[in-house]
Amino acid sequence: MKVVVLVKEVPDMGKVRFDTEKGVVDRSSADAQINPFDLNALQAAVDLKNLYNGEVTVITMGPLRAERTLRDAYARGADNCVLLSDKHFSGADTFATSRTIAAYISKLYDYDVIICGEKSIDGDTAQVGGEVADILNIPHAYYVEKINSISDKEIVVTINSLCGSKQLRKMKLPALISVTKNINRNELPTVKRKLKSLKIQVEKFGLSNLIDYISEEDTGFKGSPTKVIKVVVPKEKIKECKVYKDDFRGFFSDVLGALKDKKVL
Amino acid sequence: MKTHSGVLVIAEQCFGDIHRVSYELLGKGREISQKLGSPLYSLILGGEGLNVEELNYCGADKVFYMKNKCFEKPEEFLFKENIVRFIEEQKPEVVLIGATSFGRSCAPRIAASLKTGLTADCTDLYVDEEGNLIQIRPAFSNNILAHIKTITIPQIATIRYKEFNEGKRDTNRGINITVLDAYVSLNDKSEIIEIFKDSDFDITEAKVVVSVGRGIKKKEDLEMFKELVELLGGHLGASRAIVDAGFIGSAHQVGYSGSRVKPKVYIACGISGAPQHIAGMKEAELIIAINSDSSAPIFNYADIGYVGDLYEIIPKMIQALKNNK
Ligand SMILES: Cc1cc2nc3c(=O)[nH]c(=O)nc-3n(C[C@H](O)[C@H](O)[C@H](O)COP(=O)(O)OP(=O)(O)OC[C@H]3O[C@@H](n4cnc5c(N)ncnc54)[C@H](O)[C@@H]3O)c2cc1C
């Protein structure tokens, strides 16, 4: 069973600072970390590997420093770590990113399942999975909360919610799934694997390695059909809250008035 | 001459009912099409018997009803194949899709097939002086708003539900419906084995949401909140903390990785107000917070607050509401 996991490196959202005046995100204000939703994808892949004797390849596209995120993925159970990095790849939107990742996966050729997290906490788009699946012309399912079964030809999954219902779906392999955070609980890396992760070889691929699968103008900023023209950092609206303490009657009469006002009572 | 013209709204149906986001897209789509001086089209894919004239009434100049049994169940690949073929023939300049779970799963495939840009989960749209569609969307976990332009055609965006007003319904508007058959109705790579409901409530449609957080000590304590919810005719919500603790199912979770709700009244009980929780409820019309810690951030977002122990306040509220009946 060959499982590919797509991960993204993102800033720690609790620490990153936003400049309201200039409308910029100061990425240097926070450490980079593996996108929290991708940890569930990685865990799902490692669980499959343990059940079916497989191999997990983790792919990330990003600057050279993203090697750290890949070492973290190794510590958590990945076997092969691949970094797609090139000056031409920078400034990519979801489509250019998907094309670059799909180019690498086409080159890889032999794979059964691709697993992604639900979305990234910085881009929030949840687009790369579906775009990669379409470029590779393989079926996909989003919001997967359970992998019911898998054989060497097909996978059966439970989709958490489509049109307000759950769905049990069978797909031919290779297929792509994105998983919800409820699919599993992340296991912590062992000390042994953590130490080993410092010594492993991260495979690096740039444009020249993928040139049979993608051309320069389809990558990075140049290959991106969407352009961010402006970023606005809205000021937090702090409400005037009427706070009660030790005065239940006052509180309740206010609440009752509001409920009536909103016609819910 | 422009090679592409018209604004196309992809209307969504769920098991035979047209999703309300479709009417909201028509409302906004009308505005955009007027700015561009081009017609407003709507495409809907479904089985027999959809009330598609509603799409005309709510703003579409022309409705295309692609009718086939294969669209009765949501499966992305078939919808995408057919939508892409339709777009290639019709050549709209703008395509709007609801950012529902199905829309967000389908749209990336549509955009990738057409080799065009896609902007996800937009909260606003406008047309600039050069006639480009500018798409506004939150990013960085809702901390920023990015304004995005697409340099390829068509410009495709998914739009959040309950962000825009529905197109004004006018039954005098002319009916113009073209029925089409599916281009493709088989997909041998994917098969829906079963469709089932796990809960018969949809928290995003609730008028009142009473949410509970780590302020409760054990699962059994949820009972009093269920009683309160019953009295108010609402739904029970939860912070991620108690979903993760296994107190309640994930369908109840409100927030960035749960549901985004916009009820008339939101009551947060024993919830601190972490940014990821706030992201899911800050647009409620009225927010009431109950928390024992007067410095909890939730009070910065609330209209009415009570500083105190919920084990004391909630039973009192239940009693007072009963007395009021
Ligand atoms: C990527 C990511 C996504 C996330 N998505 C979500 C999401 O979708 N939804 C979500 O909710 N969270 C989400 N979180 C988690 C979020 O950051 C917080 O950890 C979580 O919201 C905290 O839940 P809480 O307020 O119930 O718990 P706490 O933060 O522990 O707050 C408990 C509150 O209860 C009060 N309290 C305690 N006892 C009492 C009492 N007896 N009476 C009254 N008040 C009492 C305390 O004063 C405190 O304010 C996400 C986090 C990440 C990293």
Side-chain angles (χ1 to χ4, degrees):
Chain A
M1 181 71 42
K2 295 209 157 110
V3 189
V4 172
V5 185
L6 308 184
V7 307
K8 188 175 184 191
E9 193 180 80
V10 297
D12 179 343
M13 222 40 82
K15 300 207 182 90
V16 68
R17 280 193 302 266
F18 301 94
D19 188 328
T20 323
E21 299 298 314
K22 291 202 203 99
V24 291
V25 182
D26 176 12
R27 280 190 189 253
S28 68
S29 61
D31 278 345
Q33 56 170 24
I34 186 164
N35 177 41
F37 292 108
D38 297 346
L39 289 176
N40 298 99
L42 179 57
Q43 187 67 50
V46 172
D47 291 347
L48 281 181
K49 155 178 138 172
N50 292 337
L51 278 171
Y52 299 97
N53 197 13
E55 189 182 61
V56 176
T57 300
V58 172
I59 305 176
T60 195
M61 184 174 111
L64 288 174
R65 67 165 159 74
E67 232 190 90
R68 254 189 40 200
T69 282
L70 289 169
R71 290 189 192 280
D72 182 22
Y74 182 88
R76 293 170 189 272
D79 301 295
N80 313 312
C81 299
V82 175
L83 175 61
L84 306 179
S85 195
D86 195 298
K87 66 176 192 309
H88 296 290
F89 296 167
S90 71
D93 73 352
T94 63
F95 188 51
T97 303
S98 303
R99 285 181 125 176
T100 311
I101 291 172
Y104 174 77
I105 297 175
S106 302
K107 182 183 165 82
L108 188 65
Y109 186 69
D110 188 15
Y111 64 97
D112 299 296
V113 195
I114 304 172
I115 309 184
C116 316
E118 188 177 324
K119 58 183 169 189
S120 67
I121 59 168
D122 57 352
D124 290 350
T125 72
Q127 278 172 196
V128 168
E131 293 185 333
V132 166
D134 202 73
I135 297 166
L136 296 172
N137 197 23
I138 60 172
H140 88 278
Y142 270 11
Y143 328 111
V144 169
E145 60 172 20
K146 190 175 170 196
I147 298 174
N148 298 67
S149 66
I150 190 164
S151 66
D152 50 356
K153 291 206 178 60
E154 55 194 30
I155 184 169
V156 177
V157 297
T158 307
I159 298 171
N160 171 50
S161 169
L162 271 189
C163 295
S165 290
K166 293 199 186 229
Q167 211 182 85
L168 194 62
R169 187 183 289 184
K170 181 158 82 184
M171 295 182 290
K172 284 205 178 134
L173 297 180
L176 181 144
I177 60 173
S178 87
V179 298
T180 69
K181 67 172 178 58
N182 299 316
I183 192 169
N184 51 36
R185 271 172 198 274
N186 302 316
E187 281 165 34
L188 290 174
T190 60
V191 175
K192 201 172 143 205
R193 264 206 89 96
K194 253 189 171 161
L195 288 174
K196 211 173 153 201
S197 76
L198 301 175
K199 295 192 207 107
I200 57 140
Q201 190 71 38
V202 167
E203 300 171 58
K204 293 186 193 102
F205 292 87
L207 183 62
S208 61
N209 309 104
L210 300 178
I211 209 69
D212 292 338
Y213 302 89
I214 193 165
S215 54
E216 189 195 322
E217 61 269 17
D218 292 335
T219 62
F221 184 78
K222 232 195 257 175
S224 297
T226 62
K227 309 284 180 200
V228 176
I229 51 171
K230 186 164 83 175
V231 166
V232 179
V233 183
K235 282 211 179 84
E236 279 283 10
K237 272 184 256 153
I238 303 247
K239 279 194 188 171
E240 233 8 279
C241 180
K242 211 162 159 193
V243 183
Y244 292 87
K245 198 178 174 180
D246 302 324
D247 173 17
F248 180 76
R249 295 181 100 201
F251 169 70
F252 189 74
S253 87
D254 220 14
V255 168
L256 204 59
L259 292 175
K260 284 185 176 152
D261 193 41
K262 294 285 170 199
K263 299 196 169 57
V264 300
L265 273 191
Chain B
M1 254 310 267
K2 285 201 284 193
T3 54
H4 290 64
S5 86
V7 174
L8 175 67
V9 165
I10 312 279
E12 179 172 330
Q13 54 88 18
C14 289
F15 306 109
D17 293 324
I18 297 178
H19 193 294
R20 299 224 75 88
V21 74
S22 312
Y23 305 124
E24 297 172 359
L25 295 183
L26 288 170
K28 192 68 190 179
R30 182 92 247 156
E31 221 180 280
I32 304 284
S33 77
Q34 266 158 8
K35 282 266 163 56
L36 294 171
S38 59
L40 178 63
Y41 303 125
S42 185
L43 169 68
I44 187 159
L45 302 84
E48 291 288 338
L50 296 179
N51 281 329
V52 296
E53 57 288 352
E54 285 300 318
L55 300 171
N56 270 143
Y57 295 156
C58 292
D61 296 313
K62 223 171 161 180
V63 174
F64 296 89
Y65 180 4
M66 201 181 284
K67 208 190 282 186
N68 194 296
K69 235 182 128 45
C70 73
F71 301 130
E72 284 172 2
K73 293 175 185 164
E75 195 277 319
E76 293 84 349
F77 185 81
L78 273 182
F79 275 74
K80 167 240 140 175
E81 267 313 273
N82 286 289
I83 291 169
V84 165
R85 296 271 199 102
F86 178 85
I87 289 174
E88 280 169 347
E89 272 180 26
Q90 197 64 33
K91 296 190 170 40
E93 56 194 307
V94 170
V95 178
L96 305 180
I97 301 173
T100 57
S101 56
F102 188 60
R104 288 197 67 178
S105 184
C106 238
R109 288 204 88 116
I110 297 170
S113 278
L114 292 164
K115 294 194 168 59
T116 188
L118 171 63
T119 307
D121 214 19
C122 297
T123 53
D124 207 359
L125 301 170
Y126 66 91
V127 176
D128 73 5
E129 289 99 64
E130 286 135 43
N132 300 304
L133 182 73
I134 307 300
Q135 306 144 75
I136 303 180
R137 69 178 300 265
F140 279 88
S141 300
N142 271 313
N143 281 299
I144 66 161
L145 287 173
H147 292 230
I148 292 167
K149 180 166 108 175
T150 306
I151 58 167
T152 47
I153 284 282
Q155 307 159 85
I156 310 186
T158 65
I159 314 292
R160 273 193 190 173
Y161 181 33
K162 293 193 177 173
E163 217 45 70
F164 299 127
N165 294 327
E166 293 186 4
K168 212 167 155 272
R169 187 171 185 271
D170 177 1
T171 50
N172 291 323
R173 225 192 290 267
I175 297 282
N176 185 335
I177 298 165
T178 308
V179 177
L180 315 164
D181 193 12
Y183 297 90
V184 192
S185 60
L186 281 178
N187 172 19
D188 63 354
K189 286 188 184 168
S190 177
E191 179 196 338
I192 298 169
I193 302 174
E194 194 190 338
I195 287 179
F196 52 103
K197 288 234 172 217
D198 73 319
S199 56
D200 43 12
F201 77 97
D202 177 0
I203 196 165
T204 63
E205 299 290 345
K207 296 225 163 24
V208 181
V209 175
V210 178
S211 277
V212 188
R214 200 150 26 199
I216 60 163
K217 296 183 187 77
K218 52 185 193 303
K219 192 174 173 172
E220 291 69 39
D221 300 340
L222 279 174
E223 290 308 318
M224 60 178 167
F225 293 96
K226 288 183 186 155
E227 198 178 349
L228 181 61
V229 161
E230 192 85 14
L231 284 164
L232 295 171
H235 281 322
L236 194 58
S239 75
R240 173 157 162 184
I242 69 160
V243 171
D244 285 354
F247 288 6
I248 193 165
S250 62
H252 294 269
Q253 185 180 317
V254 171
Y256 177 64
S257 55
S259 297
R260 205 166 38 236
V261 298
K262 265 188 173 179
K264 288 188 181 298
V265 180
Y266 188 88
I267 308 183
C269 310
I271 291 178
S272 61
Q276 293 91 351
H277 188 80
I278 300 297
M281 44 64 80
K282 66 169 179 232
E283 288 171 75
E285 286 179 32
L286 183 95
I287 298 171
I288 300 170
I290 300 169
N291 198 303
S292 51
D293 174 7
S294 63
S295 66
I298 189 77
F299 290 118
N300 294 334
Y301 303 89
D303 302 278
I304 307 173
Y306 195 92
V307 179
D309 183 356
L310 56 86
Y311 285 94
E312 199 182 300
I313 307 306
I314 301 301
K316 273 192 185 170
M317 277 183 79
I318 291 170
Q319 199 50 52
L321 281 166
K322 280 184 178 162
N323 293 344
N324 184 59
K325 283 228 155 148

